[in-house]
Amino acid sequence: MREDKGGEVDFTSLFLRPDEVQVSAGVFGTAPLYLVAAGEDLYGSWDLADLRPHLRPDRLNPRAMARTLTRRHRYSPDTLFDGVYRLTERATALFTTAGLTLLYPEPAQHVLEPRRLRAGVDPVEAFDALLTEAVAGWRSTVSCVGVEVSGGADSGNVALSAAAAGFGSVHTFGLLIGGRIGRLQQDRRRRLVDHFGLWDTAVPAMQYPPFVPGGVRERGLPHDPAGAFYQEAFDVLRGHVAAHGCEVIFTGGGGDEVNACHSRTGAELPAAEPVPWLGDTATEALPQVDEDLAPIPVLPVPTLMAFGLHNPAYLGLGIWPVAPLVHPRVVRFMEQLPQEHKRGKVMFRDRLRRAGLPESVAAPTEPENFLAVMESGLRSYGLPLLDDMLRESLLVDLGYVDPVALARAREHAERAPVVPDLLCDTLALEVGLRSLA
């Protein structure tokens, strides 16, 4: 349950004593653990759907539901289901005859302000050594690894370290968007993998948008209602990773977070976009969205939350996902780095240039995004599902969605040039809850 090796490790520890079970998590949060107590038994899994016999779609957590419907996401022990808890990083769950209790650590210490570099220090060289060391730490464990490569600076730097780490074989995998920007993305990925001599597999994301027929949502397969938007496309990609025999997949997760330029003492969350179809139950819970939060973690909060969306499906295939850009030593290095090396990901881009990659790869003028994929899924497959939701809906019955306002949004979406992406949250939540009912 814990790999015994030097340095920071990811682990879940389980201690059994008479009349007591104690479960503890490490700092990485790679595999989110969900727990539910049922009488004298404690159940846990990194896949929320595994707990389906103990999930009650009619007994939801209003605070967690309000966060999800309004995108006011918070790192918290809350899940959508009442009585089901997430074991957050460094936390301990204590289960006794008295029930389940969660114990939290002290907030992690962070560097509050960047520091000045010593004379003659090259941050690119220091970052290169640090990131490659974090990746190469897996060399003695596995021989075949994969790398998620989007064509951006984050995954490009991870691929650079994977190629330099000396694995037996390195395969790259990525989702391609369509159109002109997609062609630019495809060219960046080709230049990157050719430069390092890697084996590449690309998946056209437009063929597998949200709610596509044959996907997990359309088939009603049990899944986390708050799961990743692009699960259908990533499910196809993950199948390729498994077919190539990769035991570890490196991702570029956390690159935006470690390059963020702000003072932790003065950071403020942006105002959330209003949701016109929010029901009374969710509206009443909105003042509680900042309650019962986990202590400040070692890794960036958005990264830990993304792990919960992205990683369980990899784990189900026996593949361990690793995000080396948020290894604790890399996080601390980036916190201390002067902001001029982080703004616009200057250091990340300089490292790619020094590796011999062209400017179109190091600093693309039009980076990719997947909004067109979401729009395609909602327009082609989501709106018909929304019609079904207007006729019969768990969210409406429980007061989380106002059916009149949702019907107006549906009519507007039909005529609008772009379908509001907030509809995707609501529809995905409804479909996910039905899959577990």
Side-chain angles (χ1 to χ4, degrees):
M1 310 246 342
R2 175 171 184 166
E3 185 179 354
D4 186 11
K5 66 178 184 179
E8 298 89 345
V9 294
D10 200 3
F11 70 90
T12 299
S13 63
L14 176 65
F15 294 95
L16 300 177
R17 300 184 179 93
D19 299 321
E20 180 182 293
V21 178
Q22 182 176 311
V23 189
S24 299
V27 303
F28 286 80
T30 304
L33 185 61
Y34 302 104
L35 300 168
V36 57
E40 296 182 350
D41 298 319
L42 178 67
Y43 297 90
S45 177
W46 38 261
D47 185 353
L48 194 62
D50 284 346
L51 304 179
R52 186 182 181 187
H54 311 286
L55 304 180
R56 293 278 305 274
D58 61 334
R59 288 184 53 192
L60 302 176
N61 182 325
R63 180 170 55 207
M65 291 290 294
R67 290 171 182 157
T68 302
L69 285 167
T70 61
R71 293 188 177 174
R72 303 183 189 186
H73 302 296
R74 303 291 188 267
Y75 189 55
S76 161
D78 292 337
T79 70
L80 298 177
F81 298 93
D82 189 34
V84 182
Y85 302 96
R86 176 190 295 107
L87 187 66
T88 55
E89 58 92 55
R90 297 179 298 134
T92 295
L94 188 64
F95 182 59
T96 67
T97 54
L100 181 64
T101 303
L102 298 178
L103 308 174
Y104 297 107
E106 291 296 317
Q109 294 185 351
H110 288 271
V111 179
L112 296 181
E113 297 289 346
R115 300 171 64 184
R116 183 179 301 174
L117 289 179
R118 294 177 182 173
V121 169
D122 183 349
V124 176
E125 287 186 2
F127 174 66
D128 179 89
L130 195 59
L131 185 62
T132 302
E133 179 186 7
V135 170
W138 291 90
R139 192 172 51 207
S140 62
T141 307
V142 295
S143 59
C144 178
V145 301
V147 186
E148 284 186 5
V149 174
S150 67
D154 300 341
S155 61
N157 271 272
V158 174
L160 173 56
S161 288
F167 291 101
S169 60
V170 180
H171 299 263
T172 56
F173 305 88
L175 296 179
L176 294 180
I177 62 174
R180 182 180 60 83
I181 294 179
R183 289 190 292 273
L184 295 173
Q185 177 205 15
Q186 188 172 12
D187 179 68
R188 289 197 299 275
R189 294 186 74 260
R190 180 183 55 79
R191 289 174 180 268
L192 183 69
V193 299
D194 288 351
H195 185 81
F196 297 120
L198 307 176
W199 292 277
D200 185 50
T201 300
V203 174
M206 290 295 286
Q207 294 183 16
Y208 309 99
F211 313 109
V212 67
V216 61
R217 293 184 177 96
E218 190 272 340
R219 294 169 62 192
L221 299 177
H223 63 277
D224 185 349
F229 288 140
Y230 307 105
Q231 181 169 339
E232 289 87 346
F234 271 108
D235 281 346
V236 176
L237 183 144
R238 282 184 281 257
H240 287 294
V241 178
H244 282 79
C246 299
E247 302 166 85
V248 164
I249 182 79
F250 294 109
T251 77
D256 290 341
E257 291 87 324
V258 296
N259 276 286
C261 293
H262 62 75
S263 166
R264 290 178 178 271
T265 58
E268 293 185 2
L269 293 172
E273 183 179 349
V275 182
W277 52 87
L278 205 64
D280 291 341
T281 305
T283 301
E284 291 171 3
L286 281 178
Q288 306 169 25
V289 296
D290 289 319
E291 295 179 6
D292 199 24
L293 305 184
I296 294 174
V298 175
L299 273 59
V301 166
T303 307
L304 287 169
M305 297 176 67
F307 286 170
L309 303 178
H310 194 64
N311 292 351
Y314 270 126
L315 299 173
L317 296 173
I319 302 165
W320 189 253
V322 178
L325 292 176
V326 287
H327 188 284
R329 290 197 294 272
V330 177
V331 170
R332 192 159 186 85
F333 171 81
M334 295 297 293
E335 287 177 344
Q336 298 179 75
L337 195 66
Q339 292 187 352
E340 60 264 28
H341 298 283
K342 296 192 292 184
R343 190 173 291 109
K345 300 185 180 179
V346 168
M347 185 182 65
F348 279 30
R349 303 189 191 285
D350 284 346
R351 183 173 180 244
L352 294 176
R353 294 186 185 100
R354 292 189 192 183
L357 290 162
E359 192 67 13
S360 62
V361 176
T365 56
E366 296 183 86
E368 69 282 348
N369 67 70
F370 288 90
L371 293 179
V373 179
M374 179 185 291
E375 165 73 15
S376 173
L378 283 170
R379 182 77 66 184
S380 301
Y381 312 112
L383 292 183
L385 289 176
L386 192 58
D387 292 333
D388 181 54
M389 179 179 170
L390 289 171
R391 291 187 290 269
E392 183 179 359
S393 169
L394 282 167
L395 293 178
V396 170
D397 291 345
L398 296 173
Y400 289 102
V401 168
D402 179 347
V404 176
L406 185 63
R408 285 198 298 266
R410 167 65 177 92
E411 293 176 4
H412 174 74
E414 189 69 48
R415 302 186 303 270
V418 177
V419 179
D421 56 1
L422 277 171
L423 279 175
C424 190
D425 302 52
T426 301
L427 185 55
L429 195 55
E430 173 75 25
V431 172
L433 291 172
R434 290 188 185 185
S435 78
L436 297 173

